Amino acid sequence: MPDKALPPKEKFDLIDLFTRSNGAVSLLVIALGFVFGSLFVLLVGRDPVNMFSALLQVVTGWDSSRGVWNARYIGEWFVASMPLVLCGLSMAFAARTGLFNIGAEGQYIAGLTAAQFVALLFPPIPGLHWLVCVLAGLLAGAAWGGIAGWLKAKYTVSEVVTTIMLNYIALYVSQWLTHAFAPGANTYRTKAYPATSLLANPWIEDLTNGSRLGNGLWFMLLSVLVFWFIIDRTRLGFSLRATGFNKEAARASGIKVQSAITTSMVISGAFAGLAGVIVSMGSFSYGRVLPGMENYGFNGIAVALVGNVTAIGSLLAGLLFGMLNSAQPLMQSREIPKEITWIIFGLVVVFISFRNGFKLLADWRAKQRTKS
Amino acid sequence: MADYAIEMLGITKVFPGIIANDNVTLQVKPNEVHALLGENGAGKSTLMSILFGLYDPDGGSIRIGGREVKISNPNDAYAHGIGMVHQHFKLVHNYTVTENIVLGQIPRGFGGNTDLREAEARVAALSEKYGLNVDPRAKIESITVGMQQRVEILKILYRNADLMIFDEPTAVLTPQEIDELMVTFQRLKAEGKTIILITHKLKEITEAADRCTVLRRGQVVGTVTVSDTTEQALAEMMVGRPVTFGIEKAPAQPGEVVLSLQGLTVKGDKGNEAVRNLSLEVRAGEIVGIAGVDGNGQTELLAAITGLATPSGGKVLLKGKDITRVSIRERIRKGIGHVPEDRHKYGLVLEFRLDENLILKTFDRTPYSNSLGLLNTAPRLEHAQQMIEQFDIRAGQGPFTKARSMSGGNQQKAIIAREIDLSPELLVVAQPTRGLDVGAIEYIHKRLVDERDKGRAVLVVSFELDEILNLCDRIAALSKGEIVGIVPADHADVSQIGAMMAGVRHA
Ligand SMILES: Nc1ncnc2c1ncn2[C@@H]1O[C@H](COP(=O)(O)OP(=O)(O)O)[C@@H](O)[C@H]1O
Ligand SMILES: [Mg+2]
């Protein structure tokens, strides 16, 4: 019979779950990444248990081989995760408006560079100095993203092309500016930042046994909230999402899609710019002449993908990849090749394309059901 | 000789979520015109696509002259003498008629040069034989749509097809061209061809067909001899219940002028003047219909009224105020509702839920968002619930249903609900019922008449002349971007409007 209702569900159906829930697919993909990662470890003749104990130590601070606990590992896990989360949010926010922002890296560099200069040049007023650094980084990232957005909105230049080019421009301009104009600059660093510019937070430092984690944490958590709030709760988010899904319908409904595109890139860039501030004022005590791309922006693409371009998803995926990152030295000390983390990372990204596989499977099953 | 030229036996074709063809049997006698009747979505195109080798059936068999055959691609179909004229022509516009016809099997002369002379001669001969009147050397872009269709017919004749499938061939034609096509059918039949004619228009069947197979929701309702039946009976078979023809409505009570177009000129995609120096008035309390064949400037005209395009000349006035250059948002606020022709492209965000789609044009106003720019959920849901009840929108999860998962008829009802609810001064409606079933069509027509009776100005564009004739109070015929004539609907006759649609000025 045509139009016949689907048969009532008798029992829990795994494939149904995966075809309906993107989150479930992400979890499956991550699990698969670890299964294959373990197989590789076995293949090179090491014990995967050691890999997992390294990961456990990153997340809980508990060193199971020596039976000691050190909260610093937890702090460092967050330090490694924060720029990934933020660059993930940057990518995800643009994606929600139908844009492919490959430029989080450039926006990150813009934010980092602006913050470095403010840190070195702004009067060292306690309590204000570091806030101004954060603000400068946010604005610089936003502006860098906004350029690509404006070019797309005004001249329909593909944001993919402009953001890639802007990444290189950001890198070279940052190198030149820092090297030429930053106080006390040599070929790789500037003089030390004044203490008033740092994001350090004694309370967190204490709690995490001297890790580098500081006030950046609040900004990251706030960003996750802001992302969700803008997208889900505001008029602006509504118009951005409508534009992302169907630009023509949005335009016909009176939404100014051109300004939606620019706005979206501005916000997207601000997230990445913030990542730059957090790395530069949180993890370092001096400004750097960047030796090359730092790749947070590119990894952010993977974070957003695995996180289903949602706020909470990007947070979780960023923490996952941050965990892999900061587990590297611990793995080496356990004789696990650290490259395994990159293999797992790569596998997860490749497996995420399963999502389409599940759609095909869903179609096929719907067909079978319609038949019977 | 076998009893049937072609038999499709127990054909089943399943798409995800729907059985497009459910154990369908179609038997076509040699040298007959066999109509395939059914509402939109009944499975006609699917069945013919299987016969033409475009789809693999999930069950059933095909016999030609009594012998079972397998048709897995269009080349197989041609090898068995089956040709198809698709609803959307597949012609290369800057090629000549002959070049299009031989495309894919280009004849080569000495030295590898394309030798078209022989082909041209054959095309000319075929055109002569079937009275098609096609110039083999004309460029496709310079000939009419009706002529292009005849090129498609020549294309399959050139490949020696004996069974010719026509998928809704009249959808793109003017009434005169339709008459000519009917004559062509008789000619083809006289020359021994067998024809399958897909349609949902009853008149064409009683005019041209010998027998008719009716499909409803993927199943065969029956096969009848046309001379033994009536249009009423066929309609009931098609829809599954008695249907009323025509719309009951009181005479219009036109009031003040709401929309006034003055010497409007709008450029098309290719920089041509798609609408040329067009003037038209629509008053409160009347429905004005634009009759015309697709591609005569309808899209551009509506774009200029709704703000999607800026005219290159002339003025658009709403209640006497010039809105020619006013933004889309501002026009929406001034009360112009627009039901777009392409509802998936312009009307809905398919990934959005029904409640969100219902406020797509009003989300930035109270009560749906507040002065701080935050969205209010409760009024949105309440509004959706109201619209669902008022407009009889059927959606599985109510306001939370994804627009994508709703049926075409209900998607259209949602758009119409939204646009009427904007409380427009003016409702601009393009193709209000394309692709919808009879129930939804009746409902939507009734709603539009209701809006008229409430004193709204309604402008309707439709390619279905019957719809225009039934629904509208005044009819403007559009041809090549110009209004050729305006007639009151109660004095309109089909051949007169048809002539105007073809560009003949009102005598
Ligand atoms: N390629 C396809 N994938 C999924 N569903 C399809 C496809 N083609 C047609 N359908 C569905 O099959 C049904 C029959 O369609 P069709 O044969 O085009 O109807 P008709 O030509 O009678 O209007 C419709 O419900 C349509 O949505
Ligand atoms: Mg069809």
Side-chain angles (χ1 to χ4, degrees), chain B residues 186-494:
Chain B
Q186 298 314 320
R187 197 70 177 255
L188 290 166
K189 199 180 154 188
E191 295 290 340
K193 304 290 181 192
T194 306
I195 292 170
I196 299 180
L197 167 64
I198 303 183
T199 184
H200 62 258
K201 295 182 191 162
L202 303 164
K203 216 170 62 194
E204 289 162 15
I205 294 177
T206 48
E207 232 168 85
D210 301 307
R211 295 198 310 144
C212 174
T213 296
V214 185
L215 283 182
R216 186 164 77 226
R217 294 178 165 219
Q219 291 175 316
V220 173
V221 184
T223 299
V224 293
T225 303
V226 173
S227 53
D228 297 346
T229 188
T230 61
E231 284 189 17
Q232 187 70 40
L234 283 172
E236 285 193 34
M237 282 175 83
M238 170 164 85
V239 184
R241 61 180 169 80
V243 285
T244 51
F245 290 106
I247 304 160
E248 283 174 36
K249 59 178 207 272
Q253 312 277 334
E256 56 165 343
V257 175
V258 173
L259 175 74
S260 167
L261 307 175
Q262 300 179 351
L264 202 63
T265 297
V266 190
K267 291 246 160 69
D269 290 340
K270 302 181 193 82
N272 56 322
E273 289 189 346
V275 174
R276 222 176 312 162
N277 194 19
L278 182 148
S279 297
L280 180 71
E281 282 185 347
V282 185
R283 290 169 179 276
E286 72 168 348
I287 305 182
V288 173
I290 306 258
V293 178
D294 192 2
N296 275 280
Q298 290 92 335
T299 313
E300 291 82 1
L301 173 62
L302 295 195
I305 299 173
T306 54
L308 286 164
T310 313
S312 56
K315 278 187 193 163
V316 181
L317 304 183
L318 186 72
K319 289 192 142 176
K321 288 215 190 69
D322 190 343
I323 58 160
T324 320
R325 266 151 232 291
V326 161
S327 73
I328 298 173
R329 179 190 296 240
E330 207 39 49
R331 290 183 207 220
I332 293 168
R333 287 187 176 255
K334 285 187 193 302
I336 298 184
H338 177 211
V339 179
E341 175 186 343
D342 186 336
R343 54 179 165 265
H344 288 171
K345 189 167 174 201
Y346 295 104
L348 293 168
V349 175
L350 290 173
E351 288 79 5
F352 270 14
R353 304 180 321 199
L354 176 58
D355 62 334
E356 294 172 309
N357 271 296
L358 286 169
I359 59 159
L360 204 56
K361 292 187 172 178
T362 45
F363 71 93
D364 55 345
R365 302 185 210 167
T366 45
Y368 309 120
S369 37
N370 64 21
S371 51
L372 298 173
L374 305 185
L375 294 172
N376 293 327
T377 314
R380 179 175 76 217
L381 292 175
E382 199 178 307
H383 170 255
Q385 206 58 54
Q386 257 174 20
M387 291 290 109
I388 288 172
E389 278 158 31
Q390 266 180 42
F391 288 83
D392 190 30
I393 304 168
R394 313 247 168 96
Q397 287 114 41
F400 304 102
T401 316
K402 280 259 160 70
R404 184 179 291 292
S405 71
M406 291 165 55
S407 74
N410 285 299
Q411 289 176 346
Q412 184 74 340
K413 280 186 194 169
I415 295 175
I416 289 186
R418 180 181 72 211
E419 300 304 322
I420 287 179
D421 181 63
L422 287 171
S423 223
E425 298 284 346
L426 170 70
L427 195 55
V428 179
V429 189
Q431 297 293 348
T433 57
R434 178 153 68 178
L436 305 188
D437 62 52
V438 171
I441 292 175
E442 279 178 357
Y443 181 84
I444 285 169
H445 283 169
K446 198 176 153 310
R447 278 317 285 230
L448 292 177
V449 172
D450 284 352
E451 289 315 304
R452 177 201 77 165
D453 291 343
K454 283 185 207 152
R456 276 180 190 151
V458 182
L459 180 67
V460 174
V461 166
S462 173
F463 306 141
E464 305 266 353
L465 190 49
D466 287 338
E467 175 163 59
I468 295 270
L469 284 167
N470 274 328
L471 188 61
C472 302
D473 303 310
R474 288 194 300 140
I475 300 172
L478 186 70
S479 170
K480 299 203 176 106
E482 294 177 305
I483 287 187
V484 178
I486 302 180
V487 290
D490 40 7
H491 297 145
D493 88 86
V494 180

Side-chain angles (χ1 to χ4, degrees), chain A residues 1-3 229 233-235 238-239 241-242 245-246 248-249 251-256 363 367 370-371, chain B residues 14 17-19 217 308 328-329 332 344-346 348-349 352 356 360-361 363-364 369-370 373-375:
Chain A
M1 282 270 127
D3 291 342
F229 187 77
R233 285 280 172 268
T234 67
R235 193 156 70 188
F238 188 98
S239 62
R241 281 187 295 134
F245 284 129
N246 186 346
E248 295 304 326
R251 191 164 96 86
S253 303
I255 293 170
K256 301 210 164 73
D363 276 3
K367 198 165 154 167
T370 319
K371 248 188 226 179
Chain B
V14 183
I18 188 154
I19 305 189
R217 294 178 165 219
L308 286 164
I328 298 173
R329 179 190 296 240
I332 293 168
H344 288 171
K345 189 167 174 201
Y346 295 104
L348 293 168
V349 175
F352 270 14
E356 294 172 309
L360 204 56
K361 292 187 172 178
F363 71 93
D364 55 345
S369 37
N370 64 21
L374 305 185
L375 294 172

